[in-house]
Amino acid sequence: MRFPRCSRALLAASSLLAVSSFVPVVGSLLVPAAQAEDQLSARVGKPLQDAQSALGAKNFAKAMAAVDAADAVPGKTDYEKYTIAQMRAAVAASSGDVAAASKAYDVLIASSRTPAAAKQQMLMANATMAYNAKDYTRAVPAIERFLKIAGPNAQMQALLVQAYYLQQDYKNAARVQQDQINAEIKAKHVPSENQLQFLATCYHQMKDAPNETHAYVLLAKYYSKPDYWAMLIHNLASDPQMPDALQFNLERLRMATGVLKDPSDYMDMVERAVQSGLPQLGLNLMDQAYASGALGKDAGAAREARLKAMVVKRVAETKASLAADVDAARKMPNAAPSLTAGYNLVLNGQVDAGLALMREGLAKNPAAPEGAKLEYGMAQMDGGRKDDAIKTFAEVHGDHGSQDLAQLWTLLVTKPSK
């Protein structure tokens, strides 16, 4: 017995019914051209016709029973087995039986009768069906199988990330999302804001503060919003392993991004500058705070004035001893004196000489080389050498703040003026 041509087309179209809104309607594309010897015996064709009628009436139990009856017929041809698998996939997919549909799709995908393009559509249907059924343990390998065979697909890659996340497998969700973002950046494309937000969420769920901060660095870079700056600075500040030497730089960053608000925080920043041997820098920052109205206008004005008087005095003392400090630094084997004296030269207008002395310090193996490199970039920035500072910041690496701070200063230095 042969099925009429219209029945074949209907049977083929039904194989992807009710699978997923992500899957396009493919109709008879999934059925290979009928061969002359392709025919169904009456024992197989009759129950399959019954199955098709029951499927149309949404009587899924009756339809599957009819498919099972056709499958129970002994001595079936390859074409009959293939057609039975098509109908089983259609009934199982329509009824939401993910396991049965997956097995049927595997038969169809493995068959030489299925064209390559149709196999990819079946793989996509299989994966999205499992995802839509919230069967994420089955969806993950199905999506990965599709991507391995079909290649990159943004829609399916997004489903893979979500399938991992919904299983609370945040590590793999972050891994897949990070790979996609890296590929976008490598191709000189801008990652979507949703991708970056999702990556940050994954790392937050893992309590991975350093990588969460990296995600917010990218958000600030590509989608500069106050909330992103505030969040990434908060994450940097909450890293218990951030060296104390970087806290001053972090406070400067908070001031530069408008996150620093409390007058006591400004006072702390200035005091750190003085303690670091850079009173001129502390005075410069304090003058900026007075100019912006952050200092000198509340009940703490008298205390702030006393601090400024002390800083001015220290600035005068540092200037008076600067030449001697420079000579002494050059003779010392450790890096810190050259870095500090060099920075003070820069702050006092001797930019070339100061940066040269700081490079001598960098050559003396600083105890915290990445932090020292960051300080050198800050001196270049403060000395008006913006392009050089950007190059230096790009060379700063290391965990717990150094690299992140360098990247953030680069964002600020290169931010277009409004």
Side-chain angles (χ1 to χ4, degrees):
M1 171 183 179
R2 294 180 182 271
F3 266 0
R5 183 174 298 275
C6 61
S7 295
R8 281 202 192 94
L10 286 171
L11 183 61
S14 67
S15 66
L16 285 182
L17 286 177
V19 174
S20 167
S21 60
F22 291 105
V23 182
V25 177
V26 295
S28 58
L29 176 62
L30 294 183
V31 176
Q35 302 172 14
E37 65 276 12
D38 285 346
Q39 57 183 343
L40 299 175
S41 66
R43 291 186 302 169
V44 172
K46 180 58 170 67
L48 286 183
Q49 285 182 323
D50 293 342
Q52 188 167 301
S53 297
L55 177 61
K58 297 186 178 181
N59 189 337
F60 304 126
K62 183 178 179 180
M64 190 59 79
V67 173
D68 289 339
D71 206 8
V73 173
K76 296 183 294 296
T77 66
D78 179 68
Y79 175 67
E80 289 174 328
K81 293 176 182 177
Y82 185 86
T83 307
I84 290 169
Q86 283 186 304
M87 183 56 76
R88 187 179 298 281
V91 175
S94 297
S95 64
D97 189 342
V98 176
S102 294
K103 289 181 180 179
Y105 277 125
D106 285 342
V107 172
L108 298 173
I109 292 167
S111 174
S112 60
R113 290 177 172 272
T114 305
K119 287 183 180 182
Q120 289 189 15
Q121 291 172 330
M122 288 180 178
L123 287 166
M124 178 183 284
N126 195 16
T128 53
M129 176 180 59
Y131 179 87
N132 289 342
K134 300 182 179 180
D135 187 350
Y136 304 121
T137 56
R138 194 183 300 274
V140 164
I143 297 171
E144 289 179 332
R145 182 184 179 192
F146 169 82
L147 292 172
K148 182 177 181 180
I149 294 174
N153 179 291
Q155 195 173 61
M156 297 302 287
Q157 288 171 318
L159 282 191
L160 180 59
V161 173
Q162 293 169 32
Y164 273 128
Y165 185 87
L166 291 168
Q167 294 181 83
Q168 298 184 359
D169 186 351
Y170 305 122
K171 182 177 181 180
N172 276 314
R175 173 184 58 81
V176 175
Q177 187 71 90
Q178 185 70 71
D179 287 345
Q180 293 175 40
I181 290 169
N182 290 344
E184 291 285 337
I185 294 174
K186 184 176 181 180
K188 300 188 183 307
H189 298 154
V190 175
S192 75
E193 190 171 7
N194 285 340
Q195 283 181 312
L196 295 171
Q197 288 174 333
F198 196 86
L199 182 65
T201 300
C202 289
Y203 285 129
H204 181 76
Q205 293 287 1
M206 295 163 63
K207 299 185 178 359
D208 185 343
N211 278 316
E212 183 182 1
T213 298
H214 285 310
Y216 277 107
V217 167
L218 293 175
L219 280 164
K221 178 177 182 179
Y222 295 112
Y223 305 93
S224 185
K225 296 180 179 179
D227 287 349
Y228 296 148
W229 284 103
M231 183 59 72
L232 66 87
I233 290 174
H234 169 76
N235 287 349
L236 274 172
S238 62
D239 183 354
Q241 298 186 59
M242 173 179 275
D244 187 66
L246 292 179
Q247 292 295 332
F248 170 60
N249 191 293
L250 179 61
E251 289 182 333
R252 285 195 67 181
L253 179 65
R254 293 175 67 199
M255 179 179 177
T257 55
V259 176
L260 196 68
K261 301 292 185 183
D262 195 301
S264 65
D265 291 333
Y266 281 92
M267 301 281 278
D268 181 73
M269 176 181 62
V270 173
E271 289 171 356
R272 286 180 183 272
V274 175
Q275 292 165 5
S276 299
L278 302 170
Q280 183 63 61
L281 181 54
L283 181 59
N284 293 346
L285 295 172
M286 201 169 195
D287 286 342
Q288 292 174 32
Y290 272 105
S292 68
L295 294 179
K297 292 188 177 181
D298 60 9
R303 178 174 174 267
E304 293 157 8
R306 289 194 297 272
L307 176 62
K308 183 172 182 179
M310 183 273 287
V311 175
V312 169
K313 180 180 179 182
R314 292 291 295 273
V315 167
E317 293 171 350
T318 301
K319 284 184 178 179
S321 65
L322 186 53
D325 292 341
V326 169
D327 290 339
R330 287 202 169 99
K331 299 173 184 176
M332 293 182 183
N334 51 322
S338 294
L339 292 170
T340 302
Y343 207 151
N344 277 318
L345 284 172
V346 171
L347 294 168
N348 280 276
Q350 301 179 58
V351 178
D352 290 332
L355 294 177
L357 183 57
M358 292 188 78
R359 287 193 295 273
E360 290 181 29
L362 292 174
K364 294 179 180 180
N365 300 317
E370 299 305 322
K373 202 182 301 179
L374 176 62
E375 185 180 11
Y376 178 65
M378 297 299 292
Q380 290 174 309
M381 183 181 74
D382 291 333
R385 308 293 170 81
K386 184 179 78 170
D387 292 342
D388 292 337
I390 292 170
K391 292 177 183 177
T392 298
F393 290 147
E395 297 172 357
V396 177
H397 303 290
D399 296 328
H400 309 302
S402 297
Q403 183 175 23
D404 291 323
L405 285 166
Q407 290 182 0
L408 295 179
W409 281 113
T410 299
L411 296 183
L412 286 175
V413 171
T414 58
K415 184 177 180 181
S417 58
K418 294 183 180 179

